[in-house]
Amino acid sequence: MAHIIVVGNEKGGAGKSTVSMHVATALARLGHKVNTLDLDLRQRTLGRYFENRRAFLKSAELDLPSPANHNLPEIDAATLKPGENVYDHRLSAAVSRLEPDSDFILIDCPGSHTRLSQVAHSLADTLVTPLNDSFIDFDLLARIDSHGEKLLGPSVYSEMVWNARQLRAQAGLKPIDWVVVRNRVGTQRMVNKEKMERAITMLAERIGFRVAPGFSERVIFRELFPRGLTLLDLKDVGVKQLNISNIAARQELRDMMKAMNLPGVEVEF
Ligand SMILES: Nc1ncnc2c1ncn2[C@@H]1O[C@H](COP(=O)(O)OP(=O)(O)OP(=O)(O)O)[C@@H](O)[C@H]1O
Ligand SMILES: [Mg+2]
C-alpha cells in the first residue's frame, strides 16, 4: 500500500508547494517511488515546478531522480453515480491508479477551502501543514486571546481536519499523523517567534498534532523554482561549494523529514 502524504493548509502562501517539492524530491532521491498530485488546478505551482525541472534537466543533459507529477484524470460525467461529486471521483480515480506503483503519493493542496482539498485530507496517512510564523496564519488553526497566550477554541482549518479524522475513523482507516511545520521562521531571536512557539505547543496537545522543525526564511527557497531544483540537487548541477545558508537549509530539510517519521524511510543526506 502506498503511504499518502497530504500537504495542506487553507491559508495561502504557507509554503505548501515549497515543502511538497522538497519532500517529494528527497524521497525520490532516497530511492522511493514517488508520485505527486497538484490539487491547485488553477495556479499549478507544483505541476509548474516539475515542468521546470524536466526542461532544465533536459537542457543540462542530466538525469536526476525525480518524482512523477500527474494531472487528475478527466471523467465522463455519464459514468458518475447519482449524486456523486465529479471532483471526488477524479481524485479517487487518480489515487487508485497511482497506488500500485507508488511507495508514496504526495498531494499538494490549494491555499483555500475546496472540495478537492477536503477529500484529500481524509486520504492522508500523514498530513503536513506548513505554517508561517504569524498569528494571522495561526488564526486558521485556533482562536487566541489578545495577549497571544490563551487558546479560545479551534478554528476553521482544524475543524476541517477533525472532520477528516472522523471520516477515516468511520471507515476503519488508521488515524492521520498530523505534523505542523513552521515555515519562514526568522533566524534571529524575536518575541513573536517565542510567542508562536508557545501557542503552537499548547495547541498541539489540545487538538492532536505533532510539531516538526521547518524551514527558515531563506532566499534559496525562492530561487530554485525556475530550474525545478531542490537543495539536494545543487551538487549534481555543478555547484561545487554550498554556502553556509544552503548547508543550514539542507539540514533543516533533513531534520524536518526525520521528524515526519515516514514508514521505511532512512533519511540519509
Ligand atoms: N522558507 C522560505 N524562505 C523564503 N521564502 C519562502 C520559504 N517558503 C516559501 N517561500 C516563498 O513564499 C511564497 C509561498 O510559498 P509556496 O508557494 O510554497 O506556498 P503555498 O502554501 O504553496 O501557497 P499557495 O497557498 O498559494 O498554494 C513563495 O513566494 C515562496 O517562494
Ligand atoms: Mg501552493
Side-chain angles (χ1 to χ4, degrees):
M1 277 295 272
H3 187 91
I4 300 183
I5 305 169
V6 172
V7 183
N9 184 345
E10 66 183 77
K11 184 76 189 163
K16 296 176 288 294
S17 301
T18 306
V19 166
S20 293
M21 183 66 190
H22 277 83
V23 170
T25 307
L27 288 171
R29 293 189 64 110
L30 291 168
H32 302 281
K33 281 188 284 182
V34 187
N35 287 295
T36 63
L37 292 169
D38 184 350
L39 299 190
D40 194 331
L41 305 183
R42 182 175 161 82
Q43 296 182 11
R44 298 187 54 251
T45 305
L46 188 67
R48 295 276 312 120
Y49 211 137
F50 283 116
E51 284 165 16
N52 293 347
R53 183 174 180 87
R54 214 173 313 122
F56 174 76
L57 294 181
K58 191 167 174 225
S59 71
E61 296 181 3
L62 284 170
D63 183 19
L64 299 183
S66 302
N69 185 59
H70 302 265
N71 294 323
L72 295 186
E74 294 298 336
I75 301 281
D76 179 359
T79 64
L80 292 175
K81 295 187 198 99
E84 191 183 17
N85 181 290
V86 64
Y87 288 111
D88 297 11
H89 193 102
R90 288 177 73 190
L91 181 56
S92 50
V95 169
S96 42
R97 271 179 212 177
L98 296 175
E99 234 167 1
D101 198 34
S102 310
D103 298 321
F104 293 95
I105 299 174
L106 183 142
I107 304 176
D108 184 16
C109 292
S112 56
H113 180 64
T114 66
R115 172 83 190 191
L116 262 180
S117 172
Q118 205 179 345
V119 176
H121 280 68
S122 65
L123 300 177
D125 296 307
T126 300
L127 169 62
V128 181
T129 298
L131 181 71
N132 278 320
D133 236 29
S134 157
F135 277 106
I136 292 183
D137 294 55
F138 187 89
D139 193 53
L140 274 79
L141 286 178
R143 299 279 142 80
I144 200 153
D145 73 336
S146 50
H147 302 289
E149 284 167 4
K150 195 162 166 269
L151 293 174
L152 305 177
S155 186
V156 283
Y157 183 67
S158 306
E159 279 165 358
M160 196 267 266
V161 177
W162 192 82
N163 285 331
R165 283 179 154 160
Q166 293 294 104
L167 272 179
R168 284 179 72 88
Q170 283 158 15
L173 297 168
K174 69 175 189 295
I176 301 175
D177 182 17
W178 186 10
V179 189
V180 172
V181 301
R182 291 168 72 194
N183 186 33
R184 304 187 72 165
V185 181
T187 38
Q188 288 134 322
R189 239 187 107 218
M190 281 178 288
V191 177
N192 181 67
K193 186 166 144 185
E194 286 165 9
K195 270 196 166 182
M196 276 291 287
E197 189 151 345
R198 279 200 295 276
I200 291 170
T201 311
M202 224 169 17
L203 187 62
E205 238 174 73
R206 184 86 74 83
I207 63 177
F209 57 73
R210 302 191 287 121
V211 185
F215 299 146
S216 301
E217 171 75 31
R218 294 180 195 279
V219 180
I220 186 71
F221 287 113
R222 294 180 234 152
E223 289 177 337
L224 297 165
F225 177 80
R227 288 175 293 162
L229 297 176
T230 68
L231 280 161
L232 301 182
D233 303 306
L234 291 177
K235 281 200 175 141
D236 293 332
V237 302
V239 178
K240 295 225 166 48
Q241 188 82 52
L242 293 186
N243 66 32
I244 291 183
S245 172
N246 295 357
I247 292 170
R250 219 181 129 96
Q251 206 161 319
E252 286 172 357
L253 176 60
R254 183 173 57 217
D255 292 344
M256 186 178 89
M257 292 202 52
K258 279 192 175 160
M260 276 183 201
N261 200 16
L262 296 167
V265 176
E266 285 283 341
V267 183
E268 275 167 0
F269 54 77

